[in-house]
Amino acid sequence: MTGLETNFSGVDWVIVGCYLLGTVAVGLYVNRFISDMADYVVAGRAVRTWLAVASMTGSELGLVTVMFAAQKGFTGGFSAFHIAVVAGVVPLLVGFTGFIVVPLRRLGVMTIPQYYGLRFGQGVRVYGGILLAVAGILNMGMFLKAGAIFVTALTGLNDPMQVNLVMTALIILVLIYTTMGGMVSVIITDYLQFIVLSFGLLLACGLAVSELGWDNLVGAVEEIHGESGFNPAHEDGFGISYMAWMLLTAGLVSSTIWQTAVMRASSAESEEVVKNLYKWSSVGFLIRFLLPQFLGICGLAYFMGIPEVRSELLAPDGSIVDNSELTMSVFPHFLGQILPVGIIGIVGAGMLAAFMSTHDSYLLCWASVIVEDVVVPLRGGEMSTRSRLQLARLLIVLIGAFLLIWSLWYPLGQDLLDYMMISGAIYFTGALALLVLGIYWKRASRVGAYLALTAGGLAVFGLYPVQEAVGLEKIEAAHIGLFATGAALALMILGSLLFPDKKTTNQGGTDE
Amino acid sequence: MSDWITVWSILLAAGIGIYAVMAIFVAIGGAKDIRKLFRSMDKKKRDKEKGSKRT
């Protein structure tokens, strides 16, 4: 956005530098405690409730989450809060029932494809592992772009070379402490980030409300979005199908199917801790959408009052301009305006640590999946702990290099949240069918599992650049995602009924 | 529309209030859990090292 000054100063850069270097030092320090793969991937399964809650919330409250949630608040108004509601209520229900996560913890699996292996055989494990890693890495693809937009807008750095240097330095720091400390360093840095970011965002909300006033916020949303800015079911806004898609993705999938959340459950000390973790984390799942969405609304009200910026953000018909990168930058620009010197450094450091934390969790996660669920089964299970750790560390570096290239090359073309959900759907639509039916339906079979995983791949057509490449007219990502989910469930049932397993393995099936 | 405004304002106030309290509890409890985690992993590593020396 043109002509905007930021409050970010030299003092804030010093705060950011000290904070980030301290984070790396923690990663290096905890390396001394790692003695095997279980320590590296799930912290020796010795994480207790409070730390698990901090880690889960810290990891899920990443810079990217905050950016896409704030963007939804800006482009959707108060209606976007429906996403926060489903994101909070579903994990709470999971906490009370133990749905999916308790059977997984009981089996002691570290990754979801490991469960596929127990329930449907090693072939499904390898196939599911490949799909999971591909979808997961694509899902991370826009993280660097979001991070670069954040740094540019918050700090006022305008030189692309400087921004690239900052982003590269951040990635290198993440790679150092993730490769060294594994899940233990991830959990400790998540904890630090949870504290800084929680209090930083709460403070930002307080300052924003005192500066703008509640009535102005409501008035701005009413002026720009009308009724659809308050009623999520309104046809001019999100609509019923989008709400259903969010119930599935931001609710059920984020908390129970997405590999990083499952890894937290796997790291828990006991089944009781898993349940407590979900009950408590439900507040974090709610807040990770609610606070940034609210700050996105505050950004809307703030910038609509500045005529030069207003004209940049609005299309000629008065609606929000269709430019994802611009609308994503509203949140960090707003922070740069509203927070005072010093506080902006702390919040900026927390956000950058959040950026690093999300990267470390995801890098560790996808590298572990490739090693444990693809390479090791293909080698007949014969691979030493040392070789596994070395390969995981090498993969972390390779994935990091891929992300640098992908974030520069891929044209986003849709809201970041929608990109994230649909790229993740390549994996989770099939995974949902395999987990739910695999755990709770004894007749689920191997053929059904292969069909469901393959059907989930249809979700790739929800990416707008893919739609353009194959000549499709623009179809809402939510519609494609819901269709792929339905197809995966239907094919899982059909395939299982038509081609039942000859000998029931049933190691994951329960009568629950 | 005013009903929706009421719903969202209650959600926001309640969410922020509950989260602020939870953040304090998690910050204190989490620090204690980190100490316990380090102790248990350190013990496990030393036990392993002792075991490998014996064999």
Side-chain angles (χ1 to χ4, degrees):
Chain A
M1 283 184 267
T2 47
L4 282 178
E5 293 290 325
T6 171
N7 295 338
F8 202 91
S9 67
V11 176
D12 299 304
W13 274 117
V14 172
I15 293 171
V16 169
C18 291
Y19 185 95
L20 297 184
L21 286 176
T23 305
V24 175
V26 168
L28 297 177
Y29 171 77
V30 300
N31 184 44
R32 68 179 62 188
F33 298 109
I34 306 297
S35 60
D36 56 29
M37 197 67 186
D39 285 350
Y40 191 73
V41 178
V42 287
R45 289 202 177 88
V47 179
R48 291 166 184 244
T49 303
W50 293 118
L51 186 56
V53 171
S55 175
M56 194 170 210
T57 311
S59 183
E60 301 301 327
L61 192 71
L63 180 145
V64 179
T65 310
V66 172
M67 290 281 279
F68 69 56
Q71 186 181 33
K72 274 292 171 205
F74 179 79
T75 58
F78 286 98
S79 291
F81 282 3
H82 80 275
I83 304 171
V85 172
V86 294
V89 170
V90 175
L92 186 65
L93 295 175
V94 170
F96 281 110
T97 60
F99 185 61
I100 295 179
V101 289
V102 164
L104 286 180
R105 176 65 186 83
R106 197 174 296 149
L107 288 166
V109 295
M110 290 193 285
T111 65
I112 285 178
Q114 202 180 346
Y115 169 75
Y116 298 165
L118 285 172
R119 181 68 175 83
F120 300 108
Q122 292 301 301
V124 177
R125 179 183 186 176
V126 172
Y127 185 45
I130 292 169
L131 279 178
L132 171 56
V134 168
I137 293 166
L138 281 181
N139 187 257
M140 285 182 80
M142 290 296 108
F143 285 12
L144 277 173
K145 185 171 269 183
I149 290 171
F150 179 81
V151 169
T152 310
L154 186 79
T155 63
L157 283 181
N158 285 319
D159 183 352
M161 178 55 80
Q162 286 178 331
V163 176
N164 285 342
L165 283 174
V166 170
M167 302 316 294
T168 308
L170 288 177
I171 275 287
I172 290 170
L173 290 177
V174 173
L175 292 176
I176 290 171
Y177 78 80
T178 309
T179 51
M180 296 301 289
M183 184 54 111
V184 185
S185 68
V186 168
I187 283 175
I188 305 301
T189 51
D190 281 350
Y191 169 76
L192 295 174
Q193 178 208 314
F194 167 83
I195 293 173
V196 170
L197 213 50
S198 295
F199 293 107
L201 284 178
L202 287 169
L203 180 68
C205 286
L207 287 172
V209 173
S210 69
E211 171 104 356
L212 296 163
W214 177 256
D215 290 342
N216 280 336
L217 298 177
V218 173
V221 172
E222 193 175 355
E223 182 204 343
I224 304 299
H225 296 293
E227 173 82 18
S228 69
F230 300 93
N231 177 1
H234 197 278
E235 57 185 14
D236 293 339
F238 291 103
I240 297 290
S241 60
Y242 192 88
M243 291 171 73
W245 177 234
M246 285 299 112
L247 179 65
L248 181 70
T249 53
L252 187 63
V253 170
S254 293
S255 56
T256 60
I257 311 279
W258 199 235
Q259 176 63 30
T260 48
V262 170
M263 279 177 88
R264 292 302 190 295
S266 306
S267 306
E269 200 179 42
S270 64
E271 288 172 25
E272 201 50 40
V273 171
V274 174
K275 285 188 170 184
N276 286 335
L277 167 66
Y278 274 84
K279 285 176 203 161
W280 281 100
S281 294
S282 62
V283 181
F285 276 106
L286 170 91
I287 284 296
R288 79 181 183 127
F289 282 101
L290 192 68
L291 289 190
Q293 281 168 349
F294 180 62
L295 288 170
I297 293 167
C298 293
L300 176 81
Y302 184 83
F303 290 121
M304 288 305 117
I306 304 174
E308 311 88 72
V309 183
R310 181 188 170 98
S311 62
E312 213 176 325
L313 290 171
L314 294 183
D317 65 355
S319 62
I320 298 287
V321 70
D322 186 18
N323 179 340
S324 183
E325 291 187 21
L326 183 63
T327 53
M328 216 193 304
S329 75
V330 165
F331 168 69
H333 273 301
F334 178 64
L335 286 186
Q337 302 284 308
I338 200 98
L339 295 176
V341 175
I343 300 294
I344 195 173
I346 295 171
V347 173
M351 292 296 291
L352 291 176
F355 171 80
M356 292 163 68
S357 161
T358 309
H359 266 86
D360 62 31
S361 290
Y362 277 74
L363 285 169
L364 180 66
C365 178
W366 308 134
S368 307
V369 166
I370 295 172
V371 174
E372 296 297 317
D373 299 313
V374 180
V375 178
V376 172
L378 285 176
R379 292 178 58 141
E382 287 177 13
M383 201 168 175
S384 67
T385 300
R386 186 185 161 84
S387 303
R388 290 181 196 203
L389 283 171
Q390 280 177 341
L391 181 59
R393 285 169 170 154
L394 173 68
L395 284 166
I396 285 171
V397 175
L398 291 176
I399 296 168
F402 169 79
L403 294 176
L404 269 172
I405 299 164
W406 182 259
S407 67
L408 292 174
W409 173 80
Y410 183 81
L412 184 55
Q414 59 200 127
D415 274 5
L416 182 61
L417 174 64
D418 299 325
Y419 169 86
M420 301 275 298
M421 294 305 183
I422 204 70
S423 56
I426 296 167
Y427 144 75
F428 71 65
T429 43
L432 181 73
L434 266 68
L435 282 172
V436 173
L437 295 174
I439 292 171
Y440 298 104
W441 188 44
K442 284 185 175 179
R443 293 178 68 181
S445 79
R446 185 171 306 167
V447 173
Y450 276 118
L451 290 172
L453 285 172
T454 307
L458 291 172
V460 77
F461 293 106
L463 296 170
Y464 290 161
V466 174
Q467 291 182 11
E468 276 178 26
V470 297
L472 279 175
E473 293 217 4
K474 200 169 179 178
I475 307 172
E476 288 295 322
H479 295 165
I480 300 241
L482 287 171
F483 174 77
T485 307
L489 284 167
L491 284 172
M492 178 83 192
I493 294 169
L494 206 62
S496 300
L497 292 175
L498 293 176
F499 304 97
D501 286 339
K502 283 176 188 162
K503 186 183 168 192
T504 309
T505 52
N506 196 37
Q507 291 181 52
T510 71
D511 294 326
E512 289 171 67
Chain B
M1 197 167 74
S2 64
D3 289 346
W4 280 110
I5 296 171
T6 308
V7 168
W8 298 136
S9 58
I10 291 171
L11 174 76
L12 190 64
I16 287 176
I18 293 168
Y19 188 66
V21 173
M22 191 193 94
I24 294 167
F25 274 94
V26 172
I28 297 166
K32 288 179 184 168
D33 286 352
I34 287 174
R35 274 215 306 271
K36 287 172 187 162
L37 174 70
F38 282 174
R39 256 186 243 142
S40 83
M41 291 185 78
D42 195 35
K43 184 175 178 297
K44 180 183 162 191
K45 192 171 184 183
R46 275 190 273 120
D47 289 348
K48 255 190 174 178
E49 283 167 359
K50 274 182 197 166
S52 62
K53 274 179 191 168
R54 278 190 203 125
T55 54

